[in-house]
Amino acid sequence: MIRLGLTGGIGAGKSTVAATFVDRGAYIIDADKIAREVVAPGSMGLTQLVEAFGDAIVAADGSLDRPALAAKAFADDASRATLNGITHPLIGARTQELLDAAPDDAIVVQDIPLLVENHTAPFFHLVVVVHADEDLRLHRLTTMRGVDEADARARIAAQATEEQRRAVADVWLDNSGSAEDLAAAAARLWDERLMPFEANVRSRTVAVPIPALVDADPNPAALPSRLSNRLWAIVGDKAVAVDAGSVRGSIPRLRVTVRDDDAASKLVDLLPAGGFPAVAEGVYGAADPGRPAEVTVVVTD
């Protein structure tokens, strides 16, 4: 199994990519859908929100009146913290339930509009960003979705910048063309990279890098940082340091320093599951054919 984080600015075309992945067999987890589900009529989430913010946040049909909630929940930092304290654990628990139910050979696609803003990129095997220039997104929102221009500009401005998205992106899908072009690009990504990546993780096989995929990295300068952050997410408190190290040819070389042999032994399973199968004792490679890496685990002196 691999987990893919799918994100992109409003109006970029993320839904087209998600639909293409689903058609090819993806196990989809939609963050927005979960956020609505946990506060649906009759849910514990809605009950807790009413207890915190009052009956006025409930519409006549028993559903959550989101504008009414927003007026109360975003009035100050304390109210916002109350809202997050109710919804975030419920969203997290439901997401984990869906992850636990995924098949062992699944390519799990987590559709998360605010993935960059929430700083969760390192927790995915791969992050895919769907991008379109701001003017094009504005045109789509106002003409295709009927969003007021001022509202559309405000929504775009409130989200992550192109630079911030590019810093965490492993794959950059440009949607300046047609929906058919974007769907075709997503299908190629699925066939050429995602399926081999998942099979390699499951079989604990180091990938043979595919030059075209490697060369398509949206931000090569940030690759060592992305890999370091990914390794930290995998190893957690079992490591005392993760160093980006050097580059051998086009292959970043990273080092994970652990406290003792017991911690090193735990990484024997954690690193392959996270996308870095073993090459030799204490040495790991990348299962992703588009993102080669060499990882060495050393015990601190």
Side-chain angles (χ1 to χ4, degrees), residues 196-259:
F197 190 0
E198 190 284 321
N200 289 340
V201 168
R202 193 157 26 94
S203 64
R204 298 193 172 195
T205 301
V206 175
V208 175
I210 298 176
L213 297 179
V214 176
D215 292 344
D217 191 290
N219 191 345
L223 178 57
S225 175
R226 297 201 313 268
L227 289 170
S228 295
N229 291 338
R230 173 62 182 154
L231 287 169
W232 270 120
I234 296 169
V235 303
D237 61 2
K238 296 167 185 63
V240 296
V242 176
D243 301 304
S246 60
V247 176
R248 186 185 66 187
S250 62
I251 301 179
R253 303 174 72 182
L254 299 99
R255 181 175 66 182
V256 176
T257 303
V258 297
R259 291 185 177 84

Side-chain angles (χ1 to χ4, degrees), residues 1-8 14-15 17-19 21-22 26-34 91-100 102 106-116 118 120-130 190 194 230:
M1 176 196 297
I2 61 171
R3 293 173 59 196
L4 182 151
L6 174 64
T7 193
K14 184 167 49 65
S15 59
V17 175
F21 288 162
V22 168
Y27 183 95
I28 192 80
I29 298 177
D30 187 325
D32 279 349
K33 182 178 179 181
I34 293 174
I91 292 169
R94 179 55 179 155
T95 299
Q96 190 60 53
E97 287 179 2
L98 293 171
L99 283 171
D100 292 341
I107 297 176
V108 178
V109 176
Q110 292 184 238
D111 185 339
I112 307 177
L114 299 181
L115 181 149
V116 178
N118 293 338
T120 54
F123 297 96
F124 297 94
H125 288 82
L126 204 71
V127 171
V128 175
V129 173
V130 186
W190 181 274
L194 300 183
R230 173 62 182 154

Side-chain angles (χ1 to χ4, degrees), residues 1 11 13 29 45 66 84 105 118 147 159 188 199 227 251 274:
M1 176 196 297
I29 298 177
R66 293 183 179 275
N84 292 339
D105 61 349
N118 293 338
V147 179
Q159 294 186 328
R188 287 193 300 272
L227 289 170
I251 301 179

Side-chain angles (χ1 to χ4, degrees), residues 96-167:
Q96 190 60 53
E97 287 179 2
L98 293 171
L99 283 171
D100 292 341
D104 291 340
D105 61 349
I107 297 176
V108 178
V109 176
Q110 292 184 238
D111 185 339
I112 307 177
L114 299 181
L115 181 149
V116 178
E117 293 85 341
N118 293 338
H119 307 290
T120 54
F123 297 96
F124 297 94
H125 288 82
L126 204 71
V127 171
V128 175
V129 173
V130 186
H131 174 74
D133 289 338
E134 183 174 324
D135 288 345
L136 180 55
R137 291 160 56 202
L138 183 65
H139 175 74
R140 289 171 177 163
L141 289 171
T142 55
T143 62
M144 298 171 64
R145 298 193 193 178
V147 179
D148 176 76
E149 181 175 341
D151 185 20
R153 290 186 183 277
R155 294 189 194 187
I156 291 173
Q159 294 186 328
T161 64
E162 177 180 343
E163 181 181 10
Q164 289 170 326
R165 291 193 181 99
R166 198 175 286 275

Side-chain angles (χ1 to χ4, degrees), residues 39-85:
V39 294
S43 67
M44 179 175 63
L46 183 57
T47 298
Q48 292 177 345
L49 289 176
V50 170
E51 290 173 353
F53 296 105
D55 293 333
I57 67 167
V58 179
D61 62 359
S63 65
L64 176 64
D65 185 333
R66 293 183 179 275
L69 174 63
K72 291 176 174 289
F74 295 105
D76 51 59
D77 290 342
S79 297
R80 186 181 297 106
T82 298
L83 171 65
N84 292 339

